[in-house]
Every structure is written in C-alpha cells, then in structure tokens.
Amino acid sequence: MSLLLSLFFFGLMDQLCTTQIKPQIANRLFITNNPTLTTIALEKPFCVFGSDSCSGCNVYLYGVDVASSGLAVVDDNGVPLNSNFQRTNGGRLAPYKVASFGLPNCKSPPQFDNAQDLTQIANILDKYLVRIGDNVTCLTDPNYLGICNPPLSEGTTYRFRYILVNSTGKMADQTLWSDSITTRTVKDMSRIDTWPGRRSGGMIVITSILSVLVFLLLAAFAAAVLTSMMGGSPTGANATMHESRTTQQASSEAYSGVLRGSSLERERYVPKPQA
C-alpha cells in the first residue's frame, strides 16, 4: 500500500513540477469523474511561476465562459479585477474570480506516511488540486464574505487562468488561458442504452407487468388444483362409506329373507299333529 501511494504521488509531483504555461485539468488517474455536471478540478500551479519564495504572494484563479467576449483579469494598473460570479453572470459577461490561495511550493513534498491513512487522502489532494464549483451556499447566503465559487452550468465550456499577485496587490505573473473544458450534461432518457436488446424504458415496464401477471395466473392455477385435491377426498370417502353401508344393508336384508324362506319350507314339511 505504501509503495503504491508513493508511486501515485511521485507521478503527481512529476506532472505538476513540469513547466506549464496554462492551467491543466486534474489527471484522470487521480480524479476519474472530472469534470462533472457542475464542477471542474484543476492542478494548482506548482513550479509554474519563476520563484516559490515570493514573500506574501498569492495566486488568483479566474474563470470565464467561452461565449464571453471579454478576457481581461486586471485593470490598466495591473490590479486584479474583483469581478465575481454574480456580476459576470457566471462568467458569461467577463472573467470572474474563482479562488485565491497561497503560492504552492513544489519543493515541499507530500507526507507519504499520512497518505496511508485513507482519511487524509482528501486533505492531501486538496493541497495540490483546486475544485471549481464546490460551494453550493455562497449565492444564497447573504452573510457570505469570501470568494463565491458556486456550481458551474452543465454542458457549458469554460477556460481558466492563474495570475500571481505580489504583496502590493498587483499582478507579478500570469499563465495563459487554459484549453476549453466542458462540463457534462444530463443524458437524454430516450437515448439511454437499456441493455439487454437495447429495449426502451416502456418496453421494460410492459415486460415486467406481463411477467407479474403470468406469475399470478400460475399461482391461482396451483391454488385451484390444490383446493380441488383437498376438497375431493372427503366427498369420495362419504360416497365410499355410503356405498359400503348400502351393500351391508342389502346383504342383511337378503340374509334375513333367506332365513324366513327356510323357516317357511320347514313348516311345510313338518307333519302337523292330528286333531
């Protein structure tokens, strides 16, 4: 486990510490579901700017909808614009400030011992990645004072730029705009591949209903057969008993008749005494 995590973070650092001229989307080996419907994860600018020892320097991240005609992020004096998500209509009118953080130091390696703890992985990734669109409350919270980084629009294409701001509040350096990155869209239900057989949702519902009806019919048939078998036995027994009693009665009557006949015959042949 430790070796695997070490290779994981060495690969991350190797990629991050390569000279970059524009923001890069997070490696899919680290975040597989990126971008999502409303978020995009970018690598922080490690070793991108000239010096990691810039005292009091911060990095600002700006985002813009590609449909916007404006791309300026600083004024004529080099001061970063304080444009936010609301005033720029989510980046459709002009770039807006997405996030602000301290200048990353690529000379500070990750703590591999902490990476063995699964509860620390999220914190470690947060140190090297910036997630755009992860604040779901800043637009509705009237008391929110920080940089608003609300969810992005689905199926929308954005571009991003880092700028380095020195202690005087002016831009010291900047990257190029990133390549276009498009958030995902909700898939049309009618185009979902309903395997097996690529059947539609309606066909699957109808098949399910028919299957239930067949099961109910079979259950009713089995119940009827079982009831017939259980109800037939007493009737048959009664019939047999009645037949047996009838036979016995007939036999008794025949036997009695024979006895009476025998008595009559004996009376016929027995001589009667003379008077």
Side-chain angles (χ1 to χ4, degrees):
M1 181 67 178
S2 178
L3 178 60
L4 180 61
L5 288 173
S6 298
L7 293 175
F8 174 90
F9 283 103
F10 274 126
L12 175 62
M13 291 300 298
D14 179 69
Q15 182 177 6
L16 290 177
C17 291
T18 302
T19 302
Q20 301 177 6
I21 58 173
K22 55 187 176 182
Q24 300 291 322
I25 192 170
N27 195 312
R28 295 185 183 276
L29 294 175
F30 312 135
I31 301 182
T32 56
N33 188 25
N34 183 42
T36 66
L37 292 173
T38 58
T39 64
I40 296 173
L42 298 178
E43 298 171 355
K44 287 186 177 180
F46 279 82
C47 307
V48 171
F49 301 112
S51 175
D52 290 333
S53 60
C54 180
S55 178
C57 288
N58 288 315
V59 176
Y60 291 173
L61 171 63
Y62 284 86
V64 66
D65 189 320
V66 295
S68 173
S69 58
L71 294 177
V73 295
V74 295
D75 60 18
D76 295 337
N77 297 320
V79 177
L81 300 177
N82 285 322
S83 54
N84 57 30
F85 187 91
Q86 296 93 321
R87 289 199 297 267
T88 62
N89 193 16
R92 294 180 179 87
L93 303 178
Y96 71 97
K97 188 186 295 185
V98 177
S100 173
F101 48 87
L103 179 64
N105 185 2
C106 66
K107 296 179 181 178
S108 177
Q111 299 296 322
F112 298 124
D113 293 338
N114 294 337
Q116 296 181 21
D117 184 358
L118 296 180
T119 61
Q120 297 295 321
I121 292 180
N123 294 331
I124 295 174
L125 289 179
D126 184 63
K127 181 179 179 181
Y128 295 100
L129 302 176
V130 56
R131 189 176 180 87
I132 304 159
D134 65 346
N135 192 328
V136 297
T137 61
C138 63
L139 290 179
T140 57
D141 184 1
N143 299 320
Y144 188 83
L145 300 177
I147 298 175
C148 189
N149 181 21
L152 303 173
S153 300
E154 65 177 69
T156 304
T157 303
Y158 296 90
R159 297 176 69 189
F160 302 94
R161 162 176 276 180
Y162 289 120
I163 68 170
L164 181 65
V165 181
N166 58 28
S167 58
T168 64
K170 293 186 177 182
M171 183 181 68
D173 203 350
Q174 64 179 337
T175 67
L176 299 177
W177 284 101
S178 70
D179 295 331
S180 298
I181 304 174
T182 304
T183 54
R184 296 186 180 183
T185 57
V186 177
K187 195 169 185 179
D188 187 359
M189 294 293 292
S190 62
R191 300 180 62 184
I192 295 178
D193 183 8
T194 53
W195 186 90
R198 296 181 180 272
R199 294 181 175 87
S200 66
M203 292 180 65
I204 293 176
V205 172
I206 293 174
T207 303
S208 301
I209 293 174
L210 291 177
S211 300
V212 172
L213 291 177
V214 170
F215 172 77
L216 294 176
L217 289 175
L218 291 176
F221 176 76
V225 172
L226 183 61
T227 303
S228 177
M229 293 177 62
M230 295 179 62
S233 297
T235 304
N238 292 335
T240 303
M241 185 179 297
H242 177 72
E243 182 180 356
S244 176
R245 289 178 179 175
T246 304
T247 303
Q248 291 178 2
Q249 184 178 0
S251 299
S252 299
E253 291 176 355
Y255 181 71
S256 299
V258 171
L259 292 179
R260 288 195 301 271
S262 299
S263 299
L264 293 175
E265 290 295 328
R266 283 196 303 272
E267 290 178 359
R268 180 184 300 178
Y269 290 102
V270 174
K272 296 181 180 180
Q274 296 295 324

